[in-house]
Amino acid sequence: MRRTRLVWLVEHPPLYTAGTSAVRQDLLTPERFPVYETGRGGEYTYHGPGQRVAYLMLDLKRRRRDVRALWPRSRKPSSRRLISMNVRGERREDRVRVWVRRPERPPLPDGSPAEDKIAAIGIRLRHWVSFHGLSINVEPELEHFGGIVPCGISGYGVTSLVDLGLPVTMEDVDICLKKPSKMFSARPLRTPFDGSVQRPSASY
């Protein structure tokens, strides 16, 4: 029986990826790490050790052929997973990704509270099959994000679960990701970091 969804949990070596909306000036240090052009939406982002990346492949032909419906649903599981780890991840209509408030930091120039990005999402469809990636910062080297303008959004920082003071391991995050939900209910295939870039491969 053909599966309608698959999940890969991976951990990449240090690299930058460029989405279809990436602009060259947002790549601040192009010689720092390898840069991979991808077909996902969005701009530049960083992946590396200490960051869990979940690739979710869904067959929308057996669900609902509407990427606009997939997008908001794809953000909710990441927020709920963070809440289960005592982190309140929030969505912003004018800024994609998942954010956490940092009240201990000075407010932004417009007076709004400081916020850091803790998770990112990218979506690609091919023949109504999604190539969807979710990344959660567990304990990456946050300084590595300085080589890009993350997701094309300036003025905001990047944080991680450990940076927020949580004694969380990659295994703890995997347990949360494997809990059943409308999006992450397939049997995950956990792939350990072995120093190489790992991608789901399929032909449709």
Side-chain angles (χ1 to χ4, degrees):
M1 180 177 179
R2 180 179 176 181
R3 295 184 181 181
T4 61
R5 58 195 150 183
L6 292 170
V7 179
W8 287 261
L9 301 181
V10 306
E11 187 176 10
H12 289 302
L15 57 87
Y16 296 130
T17 64
T20 55
S21 301
V23 292
R24 194 65 180 177
Q25 56 264 35
D26 286 347
L27 182 60
L28 306 179
T29 56
E31 305 302 325
R32 187 172 191 179
F33 297 125
V35 180
Y36 292 89
E37 303 287 337
T38 70
R40 63 163 173 79
E43 296 83 9
Y44 285 105
T45 191
Y46 165 78
H47 296 307
Q51 182 191 72
R52 174 57 78 219
V53 178
Y55 290 110
L56 175 62
M57 183 179 290
L58 290 173
D59 186 351
L60 298 186
K61 295 190 297 295
R62 301 191 181 186
R63 297 167 179 271
R64 180 180 176 185
R65 299 192 187 197
D66 187 350
V67 67
R68 293 172 298 180
L70 172 65
W71 175 245
R73 287 185 61 199
S74 67
R75 295 186 294 179
K76 291 179 181 179
S78 57
S79 297
R80 286 196 291 264
R81 294 304 190 262
L82 291 172
I83 290 173
S84 70
M85 291 180 277
N86 297 317
V87 174
R88 182 178 178 180
E90 301 180 356
R91 294 173 289 160
R92 297 289 177 262
E93 293 303 322
D94 61 335
R95 284 179 276 120
V96 295
R97 318 311 182 221
V98 181
W99 304 84
V100 293
R101 298 188 184 188
R102 305 303 298 268
E104 75 279 9
R105 293 184 180 175
L108 299 176
D110 63 0
S112 59
E115 295 183 335
D116 287 346
K117 185 187 73 172
I118 194 168
I121 298 169
I123 291 178
R124 178 187 179 186
L125 291 179
R126 182 190 302 166
H127 303 301
W128 291 107
V129 175
S130 73
F131 296 81
H132 166 68
L134 163 69
S135 63
I136 298 179
N137 295 334
V138 182
E139 192 178 8
E141 179 55 65
L142 296 178
E143 193 271 334
H144 289 176
F145 287 90
I148 57 174
V149 178
C151 302
I153 302 173
S154 59
Y156 297 88
V158 180
T159 190
S160 68
L161 296 172
V162 172
D163 182 55
L164 293 173
L166 299 174
V168 178
T169 66
M170 195 72 75
E171 288 71 24
D172 297 327
V173 173
D174 289 346
I175 290 173
C176 290
L177 288 174
K178 292 176 183 180
K179 291 180 180 178
S181 78
K182 291 182 180 179
M183 294 292 290
F184 288 90
S185 58
R187 182 180 180 183
L189 305 175
R190 186 177 185 278
T191 308
F193 171 58
D194 64 0
S196 62
V197 180
Q198 303 172 56
R199 301 184 180 88
S201 59
S203 177
Y204 291 90

